Amino acid sequence: MRIFCRPPDPGSFSPILPDAVQCPGLTGSGPQVSRIAGDLAKRQAVFSYKLRTPLVWVSFVGGTGTGKSTLFNAFCGHNLAQAGVERPKTRGPIAYAHRDCPVEKHFPLPGVCVARRVAQGASWEPIRGSANCLVVLDHPDERWKHLVAVDTPDLDSLEPENRQMAEDCVLLSDVVVFVASEEKYADAVPAEVLAQILEAKKPCYYLVNKVQERLATQDVLDLLHAGGLPVEPAGVWSIRYAPEKTRESIAEDPGFLAFRRRFLQQVSVDDLGCFLNARHRERAEETGVLLDRLLDLLAEEKSAAGQWLRRLEVLFAQASQDFSREQTSRSEAETRQYMQRKIRELFAKYDLLARPRRYVRQLLRLPLELLGLVGKGPARRSAHTPLAAWSQTALGPVLTSLETFNRRVLEDLSPSDAEAPLFGTLRAPGVALDEQSVRQRMVKEQEALGQWLNATFEQLAQRLPRGKKWGIYSTTVVWGILIVCFEVVVGGGFTVLDAALDAALSPFVTKGAVELFALGEVRKTTRALAARYQEALLSVLREQKDRYVQCLQSLLASPETVESLKDLRAAFADWKP
């Protein structure tokens, strides 16, 4: 529960950063989240600006050729904006404001400059405005010191920046004068903006310009209401058609005079405080609704992300299981036969050259040297490195499993919309592991496994009795057995290794405690070797899965961002004038 001694100004909170308010697009809400976040950032800045500058902004908006610039000139009493039928006449917003109005101070629209101009002599030279610039034409009339009147670019302009500038002017406005004409009052694009204005409960005057005799006000209302635009009858004003419409002729039109009189009554200086406070409340309520919508969308995306991660774990588990099955390339019988032959050869060479012992050691080194597992010449056992076979292991099975896993992720977990942020992130360069990355990872795993196996054997050798000529407890023979087991493991036989090892050693193991101890230690070491090797291979898939997890998490709004939005929502809810 939040308790404020004084209603906070939401504009004093840290500004919304649209780039931080993001989502993967799993629910199809990506475009909405981005649009609402950008809109909210503007609204927060505008709200703070409006509180600091107690001015009534009135914007003249409408489609091309409706005559809004002419009406704007008539409203202000000067030829300020160029008027005409060619498109577009107004290239940027033109404001008419008192020379003491601090329009440019804390101006809330980033990327829009404010340029002030003063009349040369008693009259103005009509201008067209400039893109991304608010041109402020200064006047000394004290009666309008609290007013800022703005002529805006066309709502249906072919230039996107012009349309955006017109909508931003609507956002800044406390009152909107919506100008339509007989031939354009039902056009789709202006109607969409009108719907947003009415939804925001912003005071709106609907002026139908160039009205012929045959078009009655009720006809306009009927058509607007049929299109879901609840314009009030009292808010519709008709300006009669004339072949030569000028500022002076419009200023004498009965409909225009009635509109202007009603407007100035509504925004009089006497009721300025109440009028602006009502507009502030409306802005706060509308912004709160948008914040609620944004928080709901982010919550939906977070929930969808949780489901996505669970599905990714399922795909990873399936890929790991498939890979483990495929790695069992040899049948149990083939593995047993291979181990029996190798171990028989090992014991046969040991038995044949039992005396003297030093000759046995030298000869036992020979097959290991041929395998490239030890260097030539005498060396201590701790220098033996049974890892040459690793470098000969084909990366094909690992890369094939990786490719299958990546394909399933893109097929099953990628958003179908190519515009969704996650769609592009999953396919970004560097996300999928390449062959070089896999090879480098395997080299690191090789080094780690070599260190572990050497250290494990050294510990085992210290616990075996020395001085015996026969039996499995000879450290040289144990080392040779581990070499054979390593070859079986890297050949894909790690799932049937226990059974094959027992079958291969059974003819050479007596009931003596030393032999049984050695067999148990070799079995335990070999089992751990197989598990570590399997984990090393699966670590490639795990790293790829972790990269996909990072892709998703990088697109989720952070908890800090969500909490900031909630705090801002509470500030708007608690705000009072």
Side-chain angles (χ1 to χ4, degrees), residues 6-24:
R6 177 181 177 275
D9 170 11
S12 64
F13 280 64
S14 298
I16 295 174
L17 301 177
D19 290 343
V21 184
Q22 56 184 357
C23 71

Side-chain angles (χ1 to χ4, degrees), residues 341-355 359-361 363-368 370 470 477 508:
R341 183 175 70 255
K342 286 289 187 178
I343 291 177
R344 190 180 299 114
E345 292 173 359
L346 182 64
F347 275 95
K349 290 177 180 179
Y350 181 88
D351 292 340
L352 180 63
L353 301 174
R355 297 176 181 176
Y359 295 113
V360 176
R361 276 201 201 95
L363 195 56
L364 280 172
R365 289 180 55 82
L366 182 59
L368 305 181
L370 293 177
W470 313 102
V477 174
F508 306 100

Side-chain angles (χ1 to χ4, degrees), residues 47 159 219 232 272 306 338 375 410 447 449 461 470 508 533 537 539:
F47 189 86
E159 301 296 332
D219 296 332
E232 295 292 333
L272 182 62
Y338 174 82
L410 294 181
E447 295 173 352
L449 188 59
W470 313 102
F508 306 100
Y533 173 74
L537 297 180
S539 68

Side-chain angles (χ1 to χ4, degrees), residues 77-396:
H78 298 280
N79 288 324
L80 306 175
Q82 285 189 15
V85 295
E86 65 268 25
R87 59 186 305 161
K89 268 298 179 182
T90 306
R91 294 185 301 186
I94 302 168
Y96 186 61
H98 190 272
R99 57 193 175 192
D100 294 335
C101 286
V103 174
E104 64 273 29
K105 191 174 181 180
H106 306 296
F107 193 70
L109 300 180
V112 178
C113 67
V114 179
R116 303 193 76 117
R117 296 186 184 179
V118 181
Q120 300 297 324
S123 62
W124 292 88
E125 182 68 27
I127 63 173
R128 299 180 63 185
S130 303
N132 298 320
C133 181
L134 174 66
V135 179
V136 181
L137 306 178
D138 288 348
H139 69 79
D141 192 340
E142 294 293 326
R143 295 173 301 172
W144 281 29
K145 194 172 183 178
H146 64 295
L147 287 179
V148 179
V150 184
D151 184 27
T152 67
D154 299 332
L155 291 174
D156 53 358
S157 172
L158 297 177
E159 301 296 332
E161 59 270 19
N162 285 353
R163 297 196 302 270
Q164 185 60 58
M165 193 68 244
E167 294 179 10
D168 289 344
C169 288
V170 171
L171 185 62
L172 269 170
S173 298
D174 302 289
V175 184
V176 174
V177 178
F178 195 97
V179 181
S181 60
E182 185 175 354
E183 67 276 10
K184 295 178 69 70
Y185 71 94
D187 283 5
V189 174
E192 291 179 6
V193 178
L194 177 60
Q196 297 171 9
I197 296 170
L198 297 174
E199 185 178 0
K201 301 178 182 178
K202 187 168 293 189
C204 179
Y205 294 86
Y206 191 87
L207 303 188
V208 187
N209 197 18
K210 310 175 187 178
V211 172
Q212 301 278 1
E213 292 274 340
R214 57 185 174 84
L215 182 66
T217 300
Q218 189 58 46
D219 296 332
V220 176
L221 285 170
D222 291 343
L223 188 57
L224 291 174
H225 293 170
L229 300 171
V231 177
E232 295 292 333
V236 178
W237 308 83
S238 298
I239 313 297
R240 291 176 302 183
Y241 171 79
E244 294 291 335
K245 251 336 181 186
T246 63
R247 171 181 66 84
E248 291 80 9
S249 62
I250 286 182
E252 298 174 357
D253 184 274
F256 180 80
L257 289 173
F259 147 71
R260 194 171 185 270
R261 184 167 51 251
R262 178 70 184 89
F263 173 85
L264 294 177
Q265 290 175 352
Q266 185 178 17
V267 297
S268 66
V269 176
D270 296 338
D271 297 328
L272 182 62
C274 293
F275 179 83
L276 288 178
N277 283 337
R279 305 291 77 75
H280 296 332
R281 282 194 298 269
E282 290 165 359
R283 281 192 172 87
E285 292 173 2
E286 187 181 11
T287 305
V289 170
L290 274 180
L291 279 165
D292 285 337
R293 177 59 179 157
L294 180 60
L295 289 168
D296 288 344
L297 291 176
L298 293 178
E300 292 172 5
E301 283 285 316
K302 183 178 179 181
S303 176
Q307 298 176 13
W308 191 92
L309 290 173
R310 288 190 288 272
R311 292 169 60 192
L312 179 65
E313 287 292 343
V314 171
L315 290 181
F316 170 71
Q318 292 174 347
S320 300
Q321 293 171 3
D322 293 343
F323 177 76
S324 297
R325 284 194 297 267
E326 291 170 2
Q327 280 299 100
T328 311
S329 56
R330 298 177 181 175
S331 67
E332 185 174 352
E334 291 173 340
T335 300
R336 184 184 299 113
Q337 292 174 4
Y338 174 82
M339 295 190 72
Q340 286 175 336
R341 183 175 70 255
K342 286 289 187 178
I343 291 177
R344 190 180 299 114
E345 292 173 359
L346 182 64
F347 275 95
K349 290 177 180 179
Y350 181 88
D351 292 340
L352 180 63
L353 301 174
R355 297 176 181 176
R357 187 178 182 84
R358 57 189 176 89
Y359 295 113
V360 176
R361 276 201 201 95
Q362 293 175 1
L363 195 56
L364 280 172
R365 289 180 55 82
L366 182 59
L368 305 181
E369 292 173 1
L370 293 177
L371 289 173
L373 302 175
V374 298
K376 294 184 178 182
R380 301 198 312 268
R381 288 189 301 271
S382 60
H384 300 173
T385 308
L387 293 172
W390 185 293
S391 61
Q392 303 301 321
T393 303
L395 292 177

